[in-house]
Amino acid sequence: MTEEPRLSARELIERLEPALSPARRIRAVTALLTGLSGTVFMAVLWGGEPGPLPGRTQAMFALLTVVCLAWAVYGGWLLTRRVPLFATDRVIAAWIALAASLVPTAALAALAVRRGTGLASVLSVGGLFVATALVLAVRAHARRAALLRRARELRTHTSED
């Protein structure tokens, strides 16, 4: 009585991580809209300046615009996937988050050293963001590895039958 109905390998693999679940769609649309609105916001701020900005300020505007574009591209890519991703989306999101926290922290730390003030606060707050993103990246890689291992087991098991 505890037997599950017999499913094909494809059905079992698709059950591991649904490709088009409502939560995944909401996450994708959120990333896409947030990235696009952030990109537009940064472009309007940057373009609306009355005069030329210093080089460092332009670099930070460019960095923030690239981060926003990365999230927009990620959301669009996620929306177009029609196959199980086996947590690839989580790995990509974790790496974007890691880059989006590490690069500004390094830039702000270099600026703090140059000015001679505020290095401890930059490193403590930035380090918290970097550590959180790193934990998310490790968890995402572990989840992906577990899903791929299970998919291989299912393929091997069904090919033996």
Side-chain angles (χ1 to χ4, degrees):
M1 282 288 153
T2 60
E3 270 187 40
E4 290 186 26
R6 192 84 169 146
L7 299 173
S8 70
R10 168 173 264 158
E11 291 169 329
L12 285 172
I13 288 171
E14 286 175 356
R15 279 186 159 188
L16 286 175
E17 187 176 6
L20 301 173
S21 69
R24 184 174 309 277
R25 282 225 174 269
I26 290 170
R27 201 166 52 228
V29 169
T30 301
L32 177 65
L33 292 178
T34 303
L36 286 176
S37 62
T39 301
V40 168
F41 180 73
M42 292 308 299
V44 167
L45 277 178
W46 196 358
E49 288 297 318
L53 295 171
R56 290 186 307 242
T57 306
Q58 287 187 13
M60 290 309 284
F61 268 110
L63 175 67
L64 291 172
T65 303
V66 167
V67 167
C68 291
L69 278 173
W71 283 113
V73 169
Y74 167 75
W77 172 80
L78 193 56
L79 279 174
T80 61
R81 299 296 98 196
R82 301 282 186 232
V83 296
L85 296 174
F86 298 109
T88 302
D89 57 323
R90 293 180 186 190
V91 171
I92 292 170
W95 280 105
I96 292 172
L98 186 60
S101 59
L102 188 60
V103 173
T105 299
L108 289 172
L111 184 62
V113 166
R114 189 171 182 183
R115 290 184 178 173
T117 60
L119 181 61
S121 61
V122 167
L123 291 179
S124 61
V125 172
L128 181 64
F129 281 107
V130 170
T132 302
L134 193 57
V135 167
L136 291 174
V138 168
R139 288 183 63 199
H141 279 282
R143 174 75 175 144
R144 177 166 169 67
L147 286 170
L148 289 174
R149 187 172 43 255
R150 182 67 177 136
R152 277 191 304 274
E153 289 170 3
L154 289 171
R155 284 188 191 111
T156 304
H157 184 311
T158 56
S159 65
E160 292 173 357
D161 291 340

